[in-house]
Amino acid sequence: SFEVRSPKSQPAVEAALRTLRDSSAGFADCRRRSEKDGKSPQGVLQVAVQLQAGGKASAKDESSTVAHERAVPCVERAFKRLKFEGAPAGQRVSVAITFSP
């Protein structure tokens, strides 16, 4: 699941959430990869996202409670492939991605 927050911009939250929902398959793949080696994929990844002009964004992992070390780089790669259509440039959003068992 995704939780997106921004204290300053509701349009940024809406654009980010829409983009994440449309791209959920990439994050589902990260969850699946986190299940390897007998580890539970359960956990939460906190990501800070800086929205930029043209739908681009930079994302930085802030924390992760997912046991497998593959989760963080996989989620970072997934964010690099996203295009945040209609997102206001210069806004920051905080994203919590929850992987369930």
Side-chain angles (χ1 to χ4, degrees):
S1 68
F2 302 105
E3 181 180 328
V4 182
R5 294 179 184 222
S6 172
K8 296 182 179 179
S9 178
Q10 186 63 28
V13 170
E14 291 169 2
L17 190 55
R18 183 175 49 253
T19 300
L20 292 168
R21 284 182 182 157
D22 291 347
S23 305
S24 62
F27 295 98
D29 186 51
C30 291
R31 185 212 166 276
R32 182 187 55 77
R33 290 174 186 257
S34 298
E35 203 169 16
K36 294 197 176 195
D37 304 326
K39 294 182 179 180
S40 170
Q42 185 174 359
V44 178
L45 295 105
Q46 293 287 342
V47 182
V49 180
Q50 174 70 47
L51 300 170
Q52 301 167 357
K56 295 181 181 180
S58 61
K60 182 180 178 194
D61 176 63
E62 293 185 321
S63 67
S64 173
T65 60
V66 178
H68 207 291
E69 62 277 358
R70 289 183 182 182
V72 171
C74 185
V75 166
E76 288 174 347
R77 282 190 305 275
F79 268 99
K80 285 181 183 178
R81 293 188 293 263
L82 299 180
K83 184 165 184 174
F84 293 85
E85 295 287 340
Q91 296 297 317
R92 292 176 187 244
V93 295
S94 177
V95 179
I97 302 166
T98 303
F99 292 164
S100 57

